Amino acid sequence: YAVNGAVDDAVNDVVGDVSDFGAWPQLFTEIPVTAVASSVTYEINASAPVQNIFEISFQGQRPQMQPRSLTYIRQQQRTCAQGVPRGFAYVQTSGINPKIGIDRMPGTQHDGKIFTCAVYLKPPVYTTADATTIPPFSSRLLVQGLYAKAILDENGGAPTPQYQTAQIDFTRMLREE
């Protein structure tokens, strides 16, 4: 089991490294969130943990909502202004789901309208207990990343010339994907 656990950890480390490298289309999704009159906090219920929010738009509005600081959103919320939301900020999380605060409360005329939350999800975690999990990246890329990681681990973390060559190949493959 210890060997399988080490392999699982190595695969998940490489998948995490690949995921952190950029915005991957295979992890992109849009999640609708329904506006409720007089509510200023909304939970984005995703099927997996959210890595980051790309953009949020409000139904009927052409421009996206602007990311704001939490301080700004809290100041705006204290005014109790109602209208079309124009900005948002991360407020907290609820389990794996992020919660956002918005700068204007939707009024009754906006009740039931939709926030479209475009997000990038975190890739699933691989375990030997769940063989149905498939990393969302190309196998060639993952094998090269595992190869570089194995060389580094084999040499006690010392970046040998062999590791540096493998890592350069891995980085090149990341840029080409």
Side-chain angles (χ1 to χ4, degrees):
Y1 176 76
V3 172
N4 286 344
V7 171
D8 291 349
D9 291 345
V11 168
N12 287 321
D13 284 348
V14 171
V15 168
D17 290 346
V18 173
S19 176
D20 290 343
F21 190 78
W24 298 93
Q26 56 268 50
L27 297 174
F28 180 83
T29 190
E30 291 184 340
I31 301 167
V33 177
T34 305
V36 178
S38 301
S39 181
V40 292
T41 305
Y42 294 89
E43 183 174 343
I44 301 174
N45 291 313
S47 58
V50 172
Q51 182 154 337
N52 67 350
I53 296 175
F54 176 67
E55 72 177 21
I56 299 175
S57 59
F58 190 64
Q59 183 176 344
Q61 299 300 306
R62 186 176 203 135
Q64 67 190 26
M65 294 173 61
Q66 296 299 311
R68 303 286 189 190
S69 70
L70 182 57
T71 303
Y72 174 83
I73 293 297
R74 290 180 50 80
Q75 287 172 345
Q76 294 299 311
Q77 288 176 346
R78 284 194 288 271
T79 66
C80 298
Q82 288 191 349
V84 175
R86 300 279 187 216
F88 73 93
Y90 289 102
V91 176
Q92 63 185 22
T93 58
S94 174
I96 64 168
N97 297 323
K99 285 189 173 182
I100 57 165
I102 58 172
D103 63 354
R104 290 179 186 90
M105 281 188 278
T108 53
Q109 71 274 25
H110 302 112
D111 197 36
K113 286 194 172 185
I114 301 294
F115 292 100
T116 301
C117 304
V119 301
Y120 287 96
L121 301 175
K122 290 183 180 180
V125 175
Y126 178 78
T127 64
T128 51
D130 183 6
T132 62
T133 300
I134 299 171
F137 307 112
S138 78
S139 59
R140 289 183 43 214
L141 178 64
L142 295 178
V143 167
Q144 184 62 38
L146 284 168
Y147 176 63
K149 183 170 182 44
I151 293 171
L152 186 64
D153 290 347
E154 187 177 88
N155 292 299
T160 63
Q162 187 181 13
Y163 163 75
Q164 290 173 346
T165 300
Q167 186 64 27
I168 288 169
D169 288 344
F170 178 57
T171 303
R172 177 187 49 77
M173 291 174 75
L174 279 169
R175 288 191 180 116
E176 290 173 357
E177 285 282 323

